Amino acid sequence: MNLQLLVVAGPDRGRFFPVPPTGITIIGSSQIHADFRLHDIGVSRVHCELETDGDHFVLADQESENGTFVNGQRITKQELKLRDIIRVGETELLFQQEGGKPEPAGAAAGKPATLPMEWVDKLVGTTLGHYAIDSVVGQGHVGLVFLAHDLRDNRVAALKVLHPAFPKNEEELGPFSQAIKSLLPLRHPNLVTVYGAGKTGPYCWVARDYVEGQNLTKEIEQARTATTRDWKRALRVGVSLARALDYAEQHQLGHGNLTPQNILVRAGDQVIKITDLMLAKALEGSLIQQAIQPGKLRAEYLYLAPEQTHRHGVTDHRTDIHAVGALIYSLMTGRPPFEGTSPNDTLAKIRQAEVEKPRKFEKAVPIDFDALVRKMLAKKPEDRHQSFSELAGDLEELAEGMGVAL
């Protein structure tokens, strides 16, 4: 009987590895030491090993950083049976006969494998709360954003509708409701205003100000291909972000997931607007958060702080400061602060490598601005700015000294 490990979730989804009839097979991310190499930033270089003798198949963890799991249970050493699901990092492997029918990703853990959007057609033309849904204007990891009309206050709104897999139960709904309530009083020119939220049938939704324009991704892509970059624009963006997050910090709130996708740029005046404040906290530990985590990691790992690359890393507002630094760096140089030949190489650089000076890639960047951004990207949180008030003050002082109008 020929057996294989089929990757059913994770960056290598669709690949398969034939299991030899005898011997020891190493599973990990190392190009040198791993027999089954996975391109997953959560997989250790030598993560686990599979020992076979023809009749028995024993999986043993090799003191990996994030652990080895079989059917959702963390193991040190365990004999495998057909149809077992192995999880290492964010990758799931199905132990099966060659040619066997693939099992949906996440099936063993009872979580949704994907976030199918066939429910979209059911929503267009309907009403959730007092919001009449028009058309889809954006898609994120946890749901869709619709253009909607507020029937009560007669205004255009953006309605973020979460996938119906959320919430699984009342325990998941509690943190979400609490997070949204904390956002309702906030009013800042660089924060997307939240109007309200609710649950209608199976759908949780958040209504907010509709910002016509695009996110920061386009500007960063343009900076990557440009021969020269506008460091003054990067400075203005940094000031806007720092001011908004200083305001949020004063209300004991943070973001936790700052990426180019949730920084909106309003068409016409190019004003910066942060969206999805507190969303990461609102969904923390939920079933849907677990389901979308592999895709999020692949999309966002370039903007992670060192402490976010560890399974039990402690994060706080200084993690957001690192993210702002990474965004400014990308705008002023056309590249992320750390970029390797593979996700694991990038991860290692985020943890260990010193960031290259922005002036290496854009000579026009002032020395003081170069130094300030590198401070934001310090490995240790205690070496960064300790508050957004401090950061905003430094950026504003720099702008004044350089004659940059804000």
Side-chain angles (χ1 to χ4, degrees):
M1 178 172 59
N2 295 325
L3 300 176
Q4 67 180 13
L5 290 175
L6 175 67
V7 183
V8 294
D12 297 286
R13 184 174 182 178
R15 295 182 62 198
F16 64 89
F17 302 100
V19 176
T22 58
I24 294 177
T25 302
I26 302 296
I27 300 172
S29 62
S30 172
Q31 188 172 5
I32 300 173
H33 303 293
D35 301 298
F36 293 174
R37 186 188 177 206
L38 298 169
H39 301 82
D40 183 328
I41 63 175
V43 172
S44 300
R45 293 176 64 80
V46 176
H47 199 104
C48 58
E49 67 176 31
L50 179 61
E51 183 175 2
T52 64
D53 65 4
D55 296 319
H56 300 281
F57 305 87
V58 179
L59 186 71
D61 183 71
Q62 297 299 297
E63 298 183 357
S64 63
E65 182 176 355
N66 296 324
T68 300
F69 298 77
V70 175
N71 299 331
Q73 300 297 315
R74 187 165 187 162
I75 62 101
T76 301
K77 191 173 186 178
Q78 180 169 318
E79 184 168 354
L80 293 180
K81 300 180 178 63
L82 287 177
R83 310 298 290 172
D84 278 348
I85 294 278
I86 302 165
R87 178 163 63 83
V88 291
E90 301 299 335
T91 295
E92 293 182 357
L93 305 105
L94 172 65
F95 183 54
Q96 66 168 16
Q97 294 184 41
E98 287 187 5
K101 182 180 179 181
E103 185 161 334
K111 64 186 181 183
T114 58
L115 297 179
M117 298 300 176
E118 63 271 9
W119 44 279
V120 175
D121 292 337
K122 300 177 183 178
L123 289 175
V124 173
T126 66
T127 301
L128 295 184
H130 50 87
Y131 293 92
I133 297 176
D134 185 2
S135 58
V136 177
V137 292
Q139 178 175 340
H141 293 286
V142 295
L144 295 168
V145 180
F146 294 88
L147 183 66
H149 183 72
D150 185 341
L151 300 174
R152 186 184 66 188
D153 296 318
N154 192 27
R155 60 187 173 189
V156 175
L159 195 71
K160 182 156 193 166
V161 183
L162 303 187
H163 190 278
F166 178 85
K168 179 184 177 183
N169 49 41
E170 289 299 316
E171 286 73 21
E172 289 189 355
L173 188 59
F176 174 80
S177 300
Q178 185 176 357
I180 297 302
K181 286 178 182 178
S182 69
L183 299 177
L184 294 177
L186 301 188
R187 294 294 184 272
H188 189 277
N190 300 116
L191 289 176
V192 172
T193 300
V194 175
Y195 297 143
K199 187 172 188 295
T200 305
Y203 303 109
C204 274
W205 49 268
V206 181
R208 61 198 191 196
D209 183 28
Y210 173 63
V211 179
E212 187 175 359
Q214 300 188 14
N215 60 42
L216 203 60
T217 302
K218 183 177 180 181
E219 283 194 41
I220 291 175
E221 290 174 350
Q222 289 173 338
R224 179 180 283 272
T225 57
T227 53
T228 59
R229 291 106 189 164
D230 185 358
W231 65 265
K232 294 181 180 179
R233 169 60 176 169
L235 177 56
R236 292 188 185 99
V237 169
V239 170
S240 296
L241 295 176
R243 285 174 172 175
L245 292 166
D246 175 31
Y247 174 79
E249 192 177 324
Q250 292 172 29
H251 291 78
Q252 289 77 52
L253 302 176
H255 197 289
N257 187 40
L258 278 171
T259 67
Q261 287 74 29
N262 47 45
I263 310 297
L264 305 182
V265 182
R266 190 166 63 192
D269 58 11
Q270 303 299 293
V271 166
I272 292 295
K273 295 270 190 177
I274 300 175
T275 189
D276 287 345
L277 190 72
M278 290 292 287
L279 183 62
K281 187 71 175 177
L283 300 177
E284 193 172 58
S286 67
L287 184 71
I288 195 170
Q289 191 270 345
Q290 296 173 43
I292 56 94
Q293 195 63 21
K296 277 177 62 61
L297 280 172
R298 290 196 296 278
E300 300 168 0
Y301 73 95
L302 292 172
Y303 297 92
L304 294 178
E307 59 269 26
Q308 289 177 295
T309 67
H310 299 283
R311 192 174 186 86
H312 301 293
V314 178
T315 61
D316 57 24
H317 61 279
R318 294 170 299 181
T319 305
D320 283 341
I321 286 175
H322 186 284
V324 172
L327 291 166
I328 295 174
Y329 190 101
S330 298
L331 282 172
M332 67 200 301
T333 68
R335 65 191 65 221
F338 302 100
E339 189 171 28
T341 56
S342 68
N344 282 293
D345 187 30
T346 300
L347 187 65
K349 289 183 176 181
I350 290 172
R351 290 174 174 171
Q352 302 164 7
E354 289 301 316
V355 66
E356 294 189 90
K357 294 182 178 181
R359 284 171 56 84
K360 175 181 177 180
F361 307 106
E362 187 57 58
K363 298 297 184 183
V365 173
I367 293 174
D368 290 345
F369 192 18
D370 182 297
L372 191 152
V373 171
R374 285 188 287 118
K375 179 179 179 179
M376 296 167 66
L377 294 169
K379 299 299 178 193
K380 298 179 180 178
E382 57 267 29
D383 292 335
R384 302 170 200 156
H385 296 81
Q386 296 302 292
S387 69
F388 273 105
S389 175
E390 178 190 353
L391 175 60
D394 282 357
L395 288 168
E396 288 167 351
E397 182 179 349
L398 179 66
E400 183 179 358
M402 294 294 167
V404 178
L406 299 176

